[in-house]
Amino acid sequence: MTTVAHAQVGQLSDEDVAQLDAWWRADNYLTIGQIYLQDNPLLRRPLEPGDIKPRLLGHWGTSPGLSFIYAHVSRLIRMTGQQAIYLAGPGHGGPALVAAGYLEGTYSEIYPAVSQDEAGLLRLFRQFSSPGGIPSHVSVTTPGSIHEGGELGYVLVHAFGSVMDNPDLISVAVVGDGEAETGPLEGSWKGISFLNPSRDGAVLPILHLNGAKIAGPTVLARKDPAEVRSLLEGHGYEVLEVEGDDVPGMHHRFAATLAEAWGRIRAIQHSAREGTWDGTRPRWPLIVLRTPKGWTGPDQVDGIQVTGTWRSHQVPLSGVKDNPEHLALLEQWLRSYRPEELFDADGAPVELVRALNPAGDLRMSASPHANGGLLTRDLDIPDFRKYAVEVATPGVGRAESTRRLGELLRDVYAANPETFRLFCPDETNSNRLGAVFEVSDRAFAERVLPGDVAISRDGRVMEVLSEHNCHGWLEGYTLTGRHGMFATYEAFAMVSASQTVQHGKWLQEAKRLDWRAKVPSLNVLLTSTAWRNDHNGFSHQGPGLIQVVLTQRGDIARVYLPPDANCLLSVANHCLRSRSYINLIVIDKQPQLQWLTMDEAIEHCARGAGIWDWAGTDDGSADPDIVLACAGDVVTMETVAAARLLRERLPQLRVRVVNVVDLMALPRPKDHPHGMSEIRFKELFTDNVDVVFAFHGYPGAIHQLVHGRPDADRFRVRGFIEEGTTTTPFDMTVRNRVSRYHLVMDAINNAKRLPRGASDLKAWCEAKLAEHERYVVEHLEDMPDVRDWILGDWAERG
């Protein structure tokens, strides 16, 4: 990095002003061209209705502010060598960021057809928000982007995640004042409470208050500036403010403010890295920028004020194709930027414009930090086999499965001190992952008191009681090339479920772009599950994220339901090594029966599903009378228990038990890459025997997954049906009709032949359910024969 005093960076010469202003005018021109033009890109002749796109789509209002900031940050980078990326919270300002990449030359390098000449300029305009083109957001197709900004609220969490363990990076995060009204953004200012300036980079938030959102004023823009300042200072920021619309005055004021912010960041980092920091949380700088919405656009249209109001949010001139006055006003607007000074005879940006651009990878549109797969190193993962639970006989011993995963993650932390983090909403110990605290504290930059445990400024375990923060931090962390895991209570993963969906869309689109390198996967661990949150009640009982992830494209989504610790270890090892997936792992934290040895677990997980011969009475000589299938830890226990009851009380019935650990093995291969072949599916489920399927989540998910399989209607699925309360563990299965007794009755009702005694067994199951109902009310716990149930010696492997 070049050594330059921040005061020097903040002083503009006439040449600096000329470069800044030319670049900004060029970006604004290209932004408007993308919204409006399908021909005549350089106004070689007067505009005609045929030059205008048939559909006018895009967002002007925020764009000039975004490009103004971009120009100044580019100058800062060119003068200092600072590594930086740009995150546009107002993602609808997409044309401004596309234009920035084009002016920097990156866009043409990545997309040679969008060349730096008149033909390329026309292609740039025509592709925007058009069929076969690009979206209107700062999408995955936009060079330099790790943040689309389409769904508002996540710009700061992505920015903070991007700088963790990334000491040389500054992430400039522009927060739109409409975005500032969202819950996720309101909760994400606290990111500075978790940064360590000695090893992390810095986030420079720029709150861009232009006064309006799509149809009205914004809250922060209408507040007294002193109130806004107090709010942000209360979060711990040093607030710097710039306001106006005068040029070149705004260039001078913003350059000085940006330089001051950069100098403050560098001073904080220098103090921390040279050993003079006293350990207190720094007051990181934050800029509040107030400019008119739609700055430099048409002031009035049809006698109505546009600039500075919500009317400039999208397309200020909507009738240009049919209204000659609007068409003339558009031409006047475009020519106000003096394009003849900005583009040469061939249509390429002139030297005055290009002079502002940083060199090579320092261009924000070319930064490898915004294409994190280029920087990704494989994790050093210890051999997961050494954390195995010993299983001499299936279904006898119990263990907290996630505790073994915690031990693995502890050693992953130790082996990868700069490239792995766990993100968890204040639940790391609760979810039995606390072994990580043997090698790392929780990260915390605020005051630490004598009674605090495993909390320090040097910690790297991320705990904050916000799913949005944890989820978004991990996204920013992985998109810039590092690895991690987000662990949370199952029900509350739905708080950030929309982020899961948006990240899946990002990964899906990235796979279509050769220039986007694969990034570490988004690994989500759900524990404290619906079936074992009996004590917390209905609010904590919800397996909905499985359903959400199932809606993602097959080349992105993976859902794993390991039934025990050894399967969990095998699955986690696979997920941590994978790239560009959403891996959802669901398993409870409570002591649970263990089924498979490590070798068996590895084989089982590799196949995705398998027959547990030791659990059933199917000798393989003929089709079984019924298939009992299961996916999920608690329902697996109920399925195995049901199979044992059938073996003991109806031994002539041939029962096959199938466990599914990789949910995506169930679809057809043409529907999902993990889908098992038709032959393999028939080996497990036959093609004509009824299947009673006990599932961790909502029953409809299994019906969705087996659609198109032979006689899919023969699958009778039991799962969570929104029956919950504060109750006992077994009563949760009873209420949702997935208990061992319900599964036995389902087997009797659906078996293709019934031996003598079936009706008696069904009556016995009904009596046991009635007994259970009376017992739990009287004793406040489950019946001993359920509570202490184990499979027993008959399941020893032969």
Side-chain angles (χ1 to χ4, degrees):
M1 187 182 301
T2 306
T3 302
V4 182
H6 78 269
Q8 181 182 347
V9 177
Q11 295 174 352
L12 297 183
S13 65
D14 291 343
E15 182 182 11
D16 290 331
V17 172
Q19 291 173 354
L20 282 164
D21 195 60
W23 195 98
W24 184 42
R25 284 188 286 126
D27 194 289
N28 287 334
Y29 181 86
L30 297 180
T31 296
I32 302 161
Q34 289 176 80
I35 295 172
Y36 283 97
L37 299 183
Q38 65 175 355
D39 201 359
N40 195 13
L42 287 170
L43 304 182
R44 305 286 194 194
R45 52 177 173 75
L47 275 183
E48 301 173 356
D51 298 331
I52 307 303
K53 291 181 176 180
R55 299 170 70 228
L56 299 181
L57 303 167
H59 295 74
W60 162 248
T62 191
S63 293
L66 291 177
S67 56
F68 180 84
I69 296 167
Y70 199 104
H72 279 266
V73 176
S74 290
R75 175 180 172 272
L76 174 74
I77 294 169
R78 184 168 53 81
M79 292 189 69
T80 65
Q82 174 66 56
Q83 296 181 47
I85 58 174
Y86 190 102
L87 293 86
H92 274 306
L97 273 296
V98 170
Y102 182 80
L103 292 176
E104 290 185 320
T106 313
Y107 209 92
S108 299
E109 294 165 11
I110 292 174
Y111 306 110
V114 187
S115 48
Q116 290 206 323
D117 53 27
E118 187 167 3
L121 202 59
L122 181 60
R123 192 179 186 98
L124 181 79
F125 289 177
R126 289 179 62 89
Q127 72 177 9
F128 177 76
S129 228
S130 298
I134 63 172
S136 65
H137 296 96
V138 190
S139 73
V140 66
T141 62
T142 307
S145 174
I146 65 166
H147 173 80
E148 178 172 279
E151 181 172 298
L152 298 178
Y154 311 129
V155 66
L156 281 179
V157 292
H158 288 157
F160 280 111
S162 72
V163 302
M164 292 173 183
D165 298 319
N166 212 350
D168 297 326
L169 181 68
I170 291 180
S171 290
V172 178
V174 182
V175 179
D177 49 0
E179 179 182 30
E181 297 178 5
T182 65
L185 197 286
E186 283 279 16
S188 59
W189 295 109
K190 65 178 67 69
I192 54 172
S193 297
F194 300 87
L195 286 189
N196 181 332
S198 64
R199 60 137 194 269
D200 297 329
V203 173
L204 176 59
I206 300 178
L207 176 58
H208 183 209
L209 296 181
N210 59 30
K213 44 187 183 280
I214 192 169
T218 58
V219 174
L220 291 184
R222 293 292 176 91
K223 281 185 176 292
D224 186 295
E227 289 186 340
V228 176
R229 187 164 53 252
S230 294
L231 172 69
L232 299 171
E233 287 175 345
H235 282 297
Y237 291 94
E238 177 185 352
V239 180
L240 310 173
E241 299 179 76
V242 182
E243 181 175 6
D245 63 355
D246 57 309
V247 176
M250 280 293 286
H251 284 304
H252 286 284
R253 294 195 295 277
F254 191 76
T257 302
L258 181 62
E260 184 178 352
W262 177 77
R264 175 64 176 150
I265 288 170
R266 295 298 297 146
I268 291 169
Q269 293 176 336
H270 179 79
S271 173
R273 296 169 191 181
E274 298 300 318
T276 59
W277 178 37
D278 65 4
T280 59
R281 178 190 46 75
R283 294 192 70 83
W284 295 94
L286 177 153
I287 297 174
V288 177
L289 173 65
R290 293 180 175 89
T291 65
K293 194 173 186 74
W295 190 15
T296 74
D299 185 57
Q300 293 186 354
V301 178
D302 298 331
I304 299 173
Q305 186 66 33
V306 172
T307 296
T309 77
W310 56 269
R311 295 180 182 89
S312 66
H313 181 82
Q314 292 178 297
V315 181
L317 294 163
S318 57
V320 289
K321 205 166 183 69
D322 304 313
N323 186 325
E325 293 182 1
H326 283 200
L327 183 64
L329 195 54
L330 173 62
E331 182 167 354
Q332 178 184 336
W333 179 18
L334 284 165
R335 291 193 186 278
S336 72
Y337 299 107
R338 306 191 299 279
E340 66 279 2
E341 298 176 4
L342 307 174
F343 303 94
D344 65 18
D346 295 325
V350 299
E351 173 60 27
L352 181 64
V353 173
R354 289 184 285 110
L356 189 72
N357 296 330
D361 287 352
L362 286 178
R363 295 171 294 173
M364 288 186 285
S365 60
S367 172
H369 294 287
N371 192 3
L374 298 175
L375 304 175
T376 300
R377 304 195 306 268
D378 289 339
L379 276 179
D380 180 359
I381 302 178
D383 185 354
F384 66 94
R385 296 169 182 83
K386 73 179 185 180
Y387 309 92
V389 172
E390 185 176 347
V391 180
T393 301
V396 175
R398 284 185 169 85
E400 295 170 320
S401 297
T402 54
R403 196 173 295 280
R404 295 302 175 103
L405 175 60
E407 295 169 3
L408 172 64
L409 296 181
R410 172 198 63 202
D411 295 342
V412 171
Y413 255 103
N416 303 271
E418 298 176 348
T419 54
F420 176 83
R421 291 202 188 198
L422 174 67
F423 301 81
C424 190
D426 191 34
E427 296 152 356
T428 304
N429 271 328
S430 175
N431 285 327
R432 312 300 192 263
L433 303 174
V436 294
F437 296 127
E438 297 173 23
V439 296
S440 175
D441 291 338
R442 299 171 179 86
F444 201 55
E446 300 292 349
R447 289 180 299 140
V448 177
L449 302 178
D452 291 336
V453 177
I455 297 176
S456 75
R457 70 183 190 220
D458 296 319
R460 296 181 57 257
V461 178
M462 308 308 297
E463 280 195 349
V464 61
L465 198 51
S466 164
E467 287 78 9
H468 288 121
N469 275 274
C470 290
H471 197 301
W473 288 347
L474 176 58
E475 289 178 347
Y477 198 69
T478 57
L479 288 170
T480 48
R482 281 73 52 73
H483 306 257
M485 180 175 285
F486 167 45
T488 188
Y489 283 16
E490 181 180 43
F492 304 125
M494 292 302 291
V495 173
S496 57
S498 186
Q499 289 178 272
T500 309
V501 172
Q502 293 296 325
H503 192 72
K505 292 178 183 291
W506 178 280
L507 293 177
Q508 179 179 322
E509 290 301 302
K511 284 198 171 186
R512 299 174 179 172
L513 300 171
D514 292 341
W515 61 273
R516 283 277 184 188
K518 288 186 175 182
V519 295
S521 295
L522 184 81
N523 300 307
V524 181
L525 173 68
L526 302 187
T527 185
S528 299
T529 63
W531 300 101
R532 293 307 306 268
N533 252 300
D534 40 87
H535 60 295
N536 275 321
F538 202 24
S539 66
H540 284 56
Q541 297 159 358
L545 194 67
I546 292 175
Q547 208 78 17
V548 169
V549 174
L550 288 180
T551 65
Q552 301 291 297
R553 272 268 302 271
D555 55 352
I556 296 298
R558 304 287 184 265
V559 180
Y560 299 99
L561 294 156
D564 63 6
N566 291 336
C567 289
L568 172 61
L569 291 166
S570 178
V571 164
N573 174 71
H574 170 75
C575 292
L576 290 171
R577 295 180 186 278
S578 68
R579 300 286 177 93
S580 292
Y581 293 126
I582 292 176
N583 294 314
L584 180 61
I585 308 170
V586 187
I587 188 170
D588 197 67
K589 66 186 182 183
Q590 301 291 350
Q592 54 191 198
L593 292 172
Q594 301 295 307
W595 308 105
L596 304 181
T597 67
M598 180 53 80
D599 287 342
E600 290 169 338
I602 292 170
E603 180 181 359
H604 184 52
C605 293
R607 288 177 169 267
I611 299 171
W612 285 3
D613 291 317
W614 45 264
T617 55
D618 170 31
D619 61 8
S621 61
D623 278 349
D625 298 316
I626 194 74
V627 175
L628 296 183
C630 50
D633 48 9
V634 168
V635 295
T636 291
M637 179 178 68
E638 292 304 305
T639 299
V640 174
R644 178 173 179 176
L645 287 172
L646 288 166
R647 177 171 181 157
E648 291 174 340
R649 295 176 175 272
L650 209 62
Q652 303 93 331
L653 190 72
R654 295 194 300 272
V655 178
R656 176 179 296 175
V657 175
V658 176
N659 179 263
V660 178
V661 62
D662 178 357
L663 208 56
M664 298 313 196
L666 293 175
R668 298 171 297 183
K670 67 179 181 180
D671 296 327
H672 195 282
H674 281 199
M676 66 181 79
S677 69
E678 291 295 333
I679 294 174
R680 175 68 175 155
F681 192 87
K682 181 176 180 179
E683 287 177 347
L684 298 184
F685 298 105
T686 78
D687 56 8
N688 58 3
V689 174
D690 278 19
V691 179
V692 176
F693 203 121
F695 179 50
H696 177 93
Y698 295 111
I702 299 301
H703 292 297
Q704 172 187 339
L705 292 169
V706 300
H707 174 74
R709 292 295 192 177
D711 191 15
D713 287 345
R714 64 196 167 96
F715 280 75
R716 312 282 191 259
V717 186
R718 296 289 188 182
F720 187 75
I721 53 175
E722 291 294 344
E723 290 291 343
T725 185
T726 303
T727 186
T728 66
F730 184 66
D731 193 53
M732 280 296 298
T733 67
V734 172
R735 287 175 176 272
N736 289 277
R737 303 183 64 80
V738 75
S739 76
R740 60 198 66 183
Y741 304 123
H742 288 97
L743 297 178
V744 168
M745 291 189 291
D746 278 351
I748 291 171
N749 289 338
N750 293 286
K752 65 180 182 181
R753 73 176 183 90
L754 284 178
R756 183 178 300 173
S759 60
D760 292 340
L761 177 55
K762 184 175 181 182
W764 179 84
C765 288
E766 291 170 341
K768 292 295 290 184
L769 288 170
E771 179 187 356
H772 156 78
E773 186 175 356
R774 294 190 300 271
Y775 189 94
V776 295
V777 172
E778 180 178 353
H779 298 278
L780 310 182
E781 62 178 348
D782 289 320
M783 298 182 295
D785 58 340
V786 170
R787 187 176 68 245
D788 302 325
W789 182 87
I790 62 173
L791 183 53
D793 293 341
W794 69 273
E796 289 185 1
R797 300 171 180 85

